[in-house]
Amino acid sequence: MAALPQQPTILSFEEARHLVEEHARRVCPTGAEAVDLHSAMARVLALPVTADRDLPPFRRAMRDGYAVRAADLAQLPATLEVIGEIKAGTLPEDIPSEVKPGQAVAIMTGAPAPAGADAVVMVEYTKPQGNRVSITRGINAGDNIVPIGSEARRGDILLEAGTRLDYSAIAALASVGKQHSVPVFRRPRVAILSTGDEIVEVNEAPGPTQIRNSNSYSLAAQVRQAGGEPQLVGIARDEVSSLQTLIAQGLQSDLLLLTGGVSMGKYDLVERVLEEFGAEFLFTGAQIQPGKPIVFGRAKGKYFFGLPGNPVSTMVTFELFAKPLLQALEGATPGPLTFLHAKLKSEIKTKTGLKRFLPGLLSGEFEHAQVELARWHGSGDVAATARANCYIVIPSDRERIAAGEWVAVMLR
Ligand code: AMP
Ligand code: MG
């Protein structure tokens, strides 16, 4: 059997994360496909989307009111002759050909402003008097009219390739008529391989010392949420041949996630077997808790992560390290980790040396957001983590954080 990876490299959290991001910047997406608008949410755009016409295509009124010449309102109140009405969608031939000095046109939000008018006075500042209107407030030329093409010119790029489509991007796609064939990158196939002699499948009756496989399912959910397509390759026994078979299978996918078997135990064989596949180890640990034994590397042209088997370690290390690589395989420009800040409800005492991501409970709104540690029994405590709603981030140089201090919180 091959020896352990020659030099274990344990990085700080920041170094490890940057290394993953560096590799993520270099990976190529795994292909593209076309989907319809309803299926495009959260997918990643594979080609830029351009405007098929000027946006807006006409001078659009932004308010209900009167289209006027601003200069006519120099003296207030001003009384103007109303020469017509323009609703949204009014055809060009039904629009007065020009608003002349001393004239106004009643106009509705979304309607095309007539020639001659350079502003729209809101209806709130007007009083109709027969076929005239009295206006009590002045206005600047250009107010409440959006010029043709001011949002985009025909052919301008509205959405760049690599954009993760959210609901506002869906609106942009709809606005240029992209009902079918939205070009998106294919979802990367992510193999998920659990390891451990004590692990049994969810549908099996566990013996007294056996544990149901929860990691394959939490990971599948995280993979799906991040935009990948999970492929469960089963549970490997803590023995070389079983690991060999399933790792070989897992390396067929675009990315391989293993859980368990990366600690210091006698039967933690994952790294050794990966070495037999010619693995290059980029790091073999990070100064974090939970999740310190996290392994990142490459074998047979595929990236893999060896995630520690404790269920919360598996969840946290996926979020911190595997996710940016998965997103890059999906063609997305990986985003930074984002934190919000909340006031700590009760004191935290810990040890220095590791950056900690501990399950927390965030409550309160706006400037009253506060957070406290979930009561848990360590990184195997799935139930406590399920009751939590965030992770409290504790810097590696802090031993004590007092109640009332601001702490960083990572949402999930
Ligand atoms: P390991 O990283 O293999 O040393 O496992 C650490 C802990 O996580 C042990 O208590 C395992 O029983 C548990 N564990 C490992 N894999 C899984 C899994 N797939 N589902 C649930 N628990 C697991
Ligand atoms: Mg194990």
Side-chain angles (χ1 to χ4, degrees):
M1 187 190 303
L4 273 172
Q6 305 79 0
Q7 290 171 332
T9 31
I10 302 191
L11 305 182
S12 71
F13 164 69
E14 288 77 9
E15 289 166 339
R17 170 86 190 183
H18 285 149
L19 193 62
V20 172
E21 285 171 344
E22 227 169 79
H23 283 269
R25 272 192 286 277
R26 284 186 246 140
V27 306
C28 292
T30 58
E33 60 186 339
V35 296
D36 76 28
L37 197 50
H38 283 297
S39 310
M41 179 65 190
R43 301 297 299 269
V44 178
L45 203 55
L47 293 170
V49 167
T50 54
D52 65 332
R53 56 182 187 159
D54 290 342
L55 297 175
F58 53 86
R59 298 167 68 226
R60 184 174 62 214
M62 288 174 69
R63 297 281 186 266
D64 297 317
Y66 290 87
V68 299
R69 303 168 81 100
D72 280 352
L73 307 185
Q75 304 267 309
L76 294 171
T79 302
L80 303 176
E81 178 197 1
V82 180
I83 60 163
E85 179 188 278
I86 310 175
K87 300 194 300 176
T90 296
L91 298 173
E93 53 269 32
D94 298 327
I95 295 172
S97 58
E98 197 186 352
V99 176
K100 299 204 175 71
Q103 294 182 334
V105 175
I107 196 162
M108 313 304 146
T109 301
D118 57 15
V120 170
V121 188
M122 288 164 67
V123 72
E124 289 86 333
Y125 307 127
T126 66
K127 202 189 278 173
Q129 297 171 341
N131 64 349
R132 303 175 78 76
V133 60
S134 163
I135 297 172
T136 53
R137 195 177 280 207
I139 198 164
N140 294 314
D143 283 359
N144 298 328
I145 294 179
V146 189
I148 293 176
S150 58
E151 294 162 3
R153 284 285 174 195
R154 182 186 168 162
D156 280 356
I157 292 178
L158 299 188
L159 299 169
E160 299 282 356
T163 303
R164 171 123 12 223
L165 299 170
D166 65 4
Y167 53 81
S168 64
I170 298 287
L173 291 168
S175 74
V176 298
K178 284 262 169 210
Q179 186 186 5
H180 305 296
S181 61
V182 179
V184 295
F185 288 116
R186 204 167 61 73
R187 294 182 192 280
R189 291 163 302 144
V190 182
I192 296 172
L193 167 49
S194 280
T195 72
D197 285 341
E198 77 285 27
I199 308 301
V200 296
E201 253 324 329
V202 178
N203 59 357
E204 289 174 45
T209 55
Q210 292 181 317
I211 297 289
R212 288 195 183 95
N213 175 15
S214 62
N215 288 348
S216 290
Y217 297 91
S218 56
L219 277 176
Q222 286 175 290
V223 163
R224 212 171 278 120
Q225 194 178 43
E229 189 185 301
Q231 302 189 315
L232 272 56
V233 295
I235 304 167
R237 301 293 126 212
D238 289 321
E239 59 187 42
V240 171
S241 63
S242 174
L243 283 163
Q244 279 172 334
T245 309
L246 294 187
I247 287 176
Q249 213 173 306
L251 287 172
Q252 306 292 314
S253 297
D254 300 311
L255 175 67
L256 168 59
L257 304 179
L258 303 110
T259 87
V262 290
S263 304
M264 299 301 286
K266 188 172 165 195
Y267 299 101
D268 289 328
L269 304 174
V270 164
E271 285 160 90
R272 288 188 214 175
V273 175
L274 281 165
E275 257 210 349
E276 291 178 17
F277 285 85
E280 173 194 0
F281 291 90
L282 297 158
F283 58 78
T284 55
Q287 301 288 6
I288 57 167
Q289 194 246 335
K292 188 163 177 238
I294 165 90
V295 172
F296 173 44
R298 206 165 24 188
K300 305 256 176 249
K302 304 289 172 60
Y303 284 99
F304 63 79
F305 288 88
L307 308 177
N310 262 314
V312 188
S313 310
T314 308
M315 295 173 200
V316 169
T317 49
F318 175 89
E319 290 298 313
L320 297 178
F321 301 111
K323 202 169 171 178
L325 201 91
L326 169 54
Q327 290 174 332
L329 281 168
E330 207 195 344
T333 316
L337 271 176
T338 47
F339 302 100
L340 58 84
H341 287 81
K343 272 192 178 164
L344 194 61
K345 242 171 143 176
S346 40
E347 179 192 58
I348 295 179
K349 279 187 176 156
T350 179
K351 294 198 191 86
T352 58
L354 299 176
K355 189 164 185 133
R356 291 169 208 271
F357 297 84
L358 305 180
L361 286 152
L362 181 70
S363 58
E365 288 190 317
F366 307 117
E367 67 274 33
H368 304 297
Q370 39 176 6
V371 70
E372 63 186 322
L373 280 183
R375 264 191 280 148
W376 73 328
H377 295 277
S379 46
D381 196 341
V382 175
T385 308
R387 289 191 294 268
N389 57 10
C390 66
Y391 299 102
I392 302 179
V393 185
I394 302 174
S396 57
D397 59 351
R398 295 296 301 273
E399 273 188 315
R400 173 179 177 270
I401 305 182
E405 278 194 61
W406 291 92
V407 288
V409 171
M410 189 170 86
L411 293 178
R412 60 168 217 228

